[in-house]
Amino acid sequence: SHQIFNTSLKPILNNNRKLVFIIIDCLRLDQWKMISKLLNQDYIIKEDFHTAIIPTATPFARNAIFSGLLPNSLKQEYPDIWKKMFYENQLNGFENILFEKLLSKNNFNHLNHKYLKISDFKSGKKFLNKVNDYKNTDILNIVVNFVDILGHSRSESQVLSELIPNESAYRKAIYNWFENSWLYEALSVIKNWDDVDIVITSDHGNTGIDKPQLVKGDHSTSMGIRYKYGRNLRVDQKHIFKINKPLEYNLPTFDVNTEYIIAQDSSYFVYNNDYHKYVNMYKNTFQHGGISMDEMIVPLIHLTPK
């Protein structure tokens, strides 16, 4: 995650090309493979991959993309921002500022850049209606939240669970969304811009879960379903990766006893309170934060207009 700027974005900027950088939150590699068919006609597609850092969750992985830093390095370099992120619950509220600092470090201060986070259809249409206003922007960063929202909504909606019962249906749902989306329409406009390159990636994927793991911790324990950090986390070690010394993994500590547990396989964490309620709520849903190929190996795509 933290190397994307150097490996994929910097070469484009060094070539004096305009850059449209699109992060589709939670897009899996198999879902990309489906929607890529729609772009073949207009774009030369160079397909690559990157490995999402663990925990494979937006507060860690996407901030690493925009800052070019692993999580504890971010805490050390920008302690004030980090405190606001984690103690004032503005976890991804500083992506534009972090990116600006990354540009400055790489002597790209002279480039103008714009950051947009689009979470619903209305905002997407608004962007589409004025997409050509950005054609002279050096760097246009767009974060698209639909795929992540769909995954989380499916966990909470009986109707969506029936519409998307498995991974094949999930792929088709993403394909249908993309085919009719403001994003696809915007890409058909952007292809006519001069000297533009488009990079599409994701911060992490997700995976189907069906093995509940009972976890015990105190009130400071974080809320994740596939990962948690806190003190004295007690859990069966069989399906998890436990990190007792977070600094060795460049992960931040919140006090002297901070530890992390990361789910492997198709496991997920449930507390004793209302155990059966949460087991049933999350079983056979798609979640992220853990260690699996579906969560960690994500598309990194370079599009050049034909």
Side-chain angles (χ1 to χ4, degrees):
S1 307
H2 63 300
Q3 294 169 338
I4 285 176
F5 183 83
N6 282 340
T7 59
S8 300
L9 308 188
K10 197 173 177 179
I12 293 169
L13 302 177
N14 281 335
N15 280 337
N16 295 318
R17 305 269 297 173
K18 287 194 283 287
L19 168 65
V20 177
F21 182 41
I22 301 168
I23 297 180
I24 303 177
D25 189 349
C26 205
L27 183 73
R28 284 169 42 145
L29 187 54
D30 58 332
Q31 294 161 354
W32 157 256
K33 290 282 190 188
M34 283 282 284
I35 67 176
S36 66
K37 300 168 192 172
L38 294 166
L39 297 169
N40 270 327
Q41 194 176 327
D42 293 331
Y43 288 97
I44 298 161
I45 301 174
K46 186 185 171 205
E47 203 170 77
D48 210 335
F49 319 95
H50 86 262
T51 308
I53 60 166
I54 57 169
T56 49
T58 306
F60 294 90
R62 205 162 79 204
N63 281 319
I65 292 173
F66 279 113
S67 67
L69 296 168
L70 284 165
N72 192 56
S73 301
L74 193 157
K75 178 188 175 186
Q76 289 177 323
E77 205 160 312
Y78 308 120
D80 294 343
I81 290 177
W82 187 84
K83 276 179 188 161
K84 285 176 185 167
M85 282 161 55
F86 281 91
Y87 290 108
E88 295 177 20
N89 203 29
Q90 301 180 57
L91 294 171
N92 288 86
F94 299 93
E95 291 170 347
N96 198 30
I97 293 166
L98 293 171
F99 189 73
E100 199 163 273
K101 291 178 183 295
L102 183 56
L103 288 178
S104 184
K105 275 187 204 170
N106 287 274
N107 300 315
F108 289 123
N109 310 52
H110 59 287
L111 298 179
N112 63 69
H113 64 97
K114 185 75 182 164
Y115 168 92
L116 302 169
K117 189 184 288 185
I118 301 177
S119 301
D120 56 47
F121 181 76
K122 188 179 174 186
S123 308
K125 288 301 272 187
K126 190 176 169 187
F127 164 69
L128 177 62
N129 291 336
K130 56 175 190 172
V131 63
N132 276 326
D133 293 358
Y134 299 104
K135 64 157 60 168
N136 295 315
T137 305
D138 295 316
I139 307 165
L140 176 59
N141 293 322
I142 307 171
V143 173
V144 182
N145 277 336
F146 174 81
V147 178
D148 190 49
I149 291 167
L150 178 65
H152 289 297
S153 301
R154 182 190 174 278
S155 314
E156 295 149 18
S157 162
Q158 190 62 43
V159 174
L160 278 178
S161 295
E162 293 200 22
L163 278 173
I164 311 171
N166 52 39
E167 293 186 351
S168 171
Y170 198 8
R171 280 191 294 274
K172 283 175 187 159
I174 301 302
Y175 179 90
N176 290 337
W177 161 73
F178 185 75
E179 187 177 26
N180 298 288
S181 70
W182 60 267
L183 179 57
Y184 184 37
E185 276 192 71
L187 286 169
S188 69
V189 175
I190 292 168
K191 75 171 193 284
N192 298 311
W193 293 2
D194 296 329
D195 303 320
V196 67
D197 285 63
I198 300 164
V199 174
I200 299 177
T201 194
S202 180
D203 43 3
H204 54 76
N206 63 29
T207 194
I209 58 170
D210 62 8
K211 287 182 191 157
Q213 300 289 316
L214 181 63
V215 62
K216 294 177 181 174
D218 63 21
H219 65 278
S220 70
T221 306
S222 67
M223 301 293 289
I225 294 163
R226 289 270 293 166
Y227 76 99
K228 289 189 184 296
Y229 51 83
R231 297 182 298 237
N232 304 316
L233 299 174
R234 298 181 301 285
V235 64
D236 179 3
Q237 305 280 327
K238 202 191 308 184
H239 298 286
I240 64 124
F241 181 63
K242 189 167 190 182
I243 298 173
N244 294 311
K245 297 178 179 175
L247 297 183
E248 289 182 3
Y249 292 82
N250 213 312
L251 288 169
T253 55
F254 295 83
D255 59 38
V256 289
N257 298 314
T258 300
E259 54 192 16
Y260 287 72
I261 51 173
I262 318 276
Q264 299 181 128
D265 308 327
S266 57
S267 57
Y268 61 105
F269 300 127
V270 188
Y271 292 120
N272 235 338
N273 296 358
D274 289 329
Y275 177 82
H276 293 291
K277 174 187 167 184
Y278 289 107
V279 163
N280 293 328
M281 184 186 294
Y282 292 119
K283 193 165 190 169
N284 299 319
T285 63
F286 295 100
Q287 303 292 340
H288 57 82
I291 297 171
S292 70
M293 291 204 292
D294 286 334
E295 288 162 290
M296 294 186 72
I297 302 175
V298 289
L300 179 57
I301 311 304
H302 188 161
L303 301 180
T304 315
K306 283 184 175 174

